[in-house]
Amino acid sequence: MKKLIIGNWKMYPAGVKEAREKFVAIKKVAGTLKNVQTVVCPPFVFVGDLKKLATGHRCVLGAQNAWIENDGAYTGEVSPAMLSSMGLDYVIIGHSERRVLGETNELVNKKVIAGIKAGLTVVLCVGERERDTDGEYMKYIANQIRLALVGVSKKDLSNVIIAYEPIWAVGKNSIHPATTNDALEVTILVKKTLAYLYGKDVGTVPILYGGSVDAKNCAEFLAKSHVDGLLVGRSSLDATIFGEILKSAEKVK
Ligand code: PEP
């Protein structure tokens, strides 16, 4: 399976010209890599413009969020059907930076279902705020997965990717990066949780790690944590660093 490297641009860059330049530079590297699927998730407003530049299948666009309905009086929201109609394949759902704005597990679940129905591949983000020595965080993550997947059939799981993003390791306020062992432990937990929910023949649901990934640590996460790819925030906004991450991923067996 190709390594899946997703760049979450968050609410950057400030203007469309810069967004274009970054995307073109990333695409140039991504287009040369056979073993990596690159996805760039820009702010919604840049999607239409960048879509014109997204020729070829090795570097595609995704969205950072979507609403639970396909139309209606939801001022300021963007529907999964709209994203699909723009030719997008991926949508990030349940990112910790959205959960902190009030997105509950119940809303995340509705968004997961709406995204799948619209034909998008949902990148479901889960992760604990802090770790305790009793392993409560494991229950917390398993519960997030269970609640996000209520009503999602085994067949629909083929449109789901799970991204483990420990909140304490995500973004510029991160306390410290996770270790490859931290990520490995949760990779196993995700697999066990899916097997518990769907049975042992659950199939392959790709698992990503995200949280302070950079050009130095990316290869280690891919090689040692048994993940299928990475969700990259800040480092995806620097085309040179993101390019290095993509090239490293290409080399990991
Ligand atoms: C993210 O926003 O999903 C993320 C992982 O951020 P960062 O890489 O900046 O920690």
Side-chain angles (χ1 to χ4, degrees):
M1 187 164 46
K2 281 187 176 199
K3 295 280 179 272
L4 180 63
I5 311 293
I6 303 183
N8 171 20
W9 280 6
K10 312 189 188 220
M11 203 175 73
Y12 301 103
V16 69
K17 187 170 169 287
E18 211 186 323
R20 270 189 218 126
E21 284 164 5
K22 283 183 193 299
F23 186 74
V24 167
I26 290 168
K27 198 187 117 175
K28 200 169 162 199
V29 176
T32 65
L33 307 177
K34 281 199 237 56
N35 304 320
V36 176
Q37 176 63 56
T38 303
V39 182
V40 173
C41 300
F44 285 136
V45 282
F46 300 145
V47 164
D49 206 85
L50 299 189
K51 188 65 194 154
K52 291 180 206 142
L53 303 172
T55 48
H57 57 274
R58 288 185 182 167
C59 184
V60 300
L61 291 169
Q64 299 174 19
N65 181 32
W67 187 236
I68 60 173
E69 301 282 353
N70 279 332
D71 51 31
Y74 300 107
T75 302
E77 294 294 347
V78 171
S79 82
M82 289 170 186
L83 298 174
S84 188
S85 80
M86 291 297 290
L88 266 60
D89 299 312
Y90 296 84
V91 61
I92 297 172
I93 296 291
H95 192 281
S96 58
E97 289 159 9
R98 296 212 54 85
R99 291 184 192 252
V100 86
L101 296 175
E103 228 167 75
T104 59
N105 283 319
E106 198 186 359
L107 187 60
V108 167
N109 173 239
K110 288 183 177 157
K111 289 187 172 195
V112 167
I113 289 174
I116 293 171
K117 265 197 190 152
L120 299 168
T121 296
V122 169
V123 182
L124 167 66
C125 297
V126 296
E128 77 284 6
R129 183 155 298 283
E130 57 191 10
R131 285 202 167 195
D132 58 290
T133 46
D134 297 330
E136 284 301 312
Y137 65 95
M138 304 275 264
K139 289 188 201 148
Y140 182 84
I141 297 165
N143 203 40
Q144 277 186 323
I145 295 172
R146 184 178 64 78
L147 292 173
L149 297 179
V150 170
V152 174
S153 68
K154 195 188 269 189
K155 187 171 151 273
D156 286 343
L157 269 192
S158 56
N159 289 325
V160 175
I161 291 166
I162 298 192
Y164 170 53
E165 296 214 315
I167 299 174
W168 47 269
V170 171
K172 63 178 189 304
N173 296 325
S174 62
I175 304 164
H176 57 86
T179 64
T180 55
N181 260 344
D182 294 331
L184 174 62
E185 179 186 53
V186 178
T187 305
I188 296 165
L189 172 74
V190 172
K191 288 187 179 168
K192 278 191 161 178
T193 305
L194 292 173
Y196 175 76
L197 293 172
Y198 291 94
K200 287 220 164 62
D201 60 340
V202 59
T204 310
V205 174
I207 301 171
L208 312 182
Y209 169 74
S212 301
V213 168
D214 58 27
K216 288 198 191 90
N217 63 22
C218 60
E220 284 230 303
F221 278 115
L222 287 170
K224 297 188 180 164
S225 305
H226 288 254
V227 288
D228 304 293
L230 302 166
L231 180 51
V232 186
R234 285 157 295 159
S235 295
S236 69
L237 278 149
D238 182 316
T240 309
I241 296 175
F242 198 49
E244 291 303 318
I245 293 174
L246 297 174
K247 283 188 262 178
S248 291
E250 173 81 358
K251 290 189 210 137
V252 176
K253 290 280 167 291

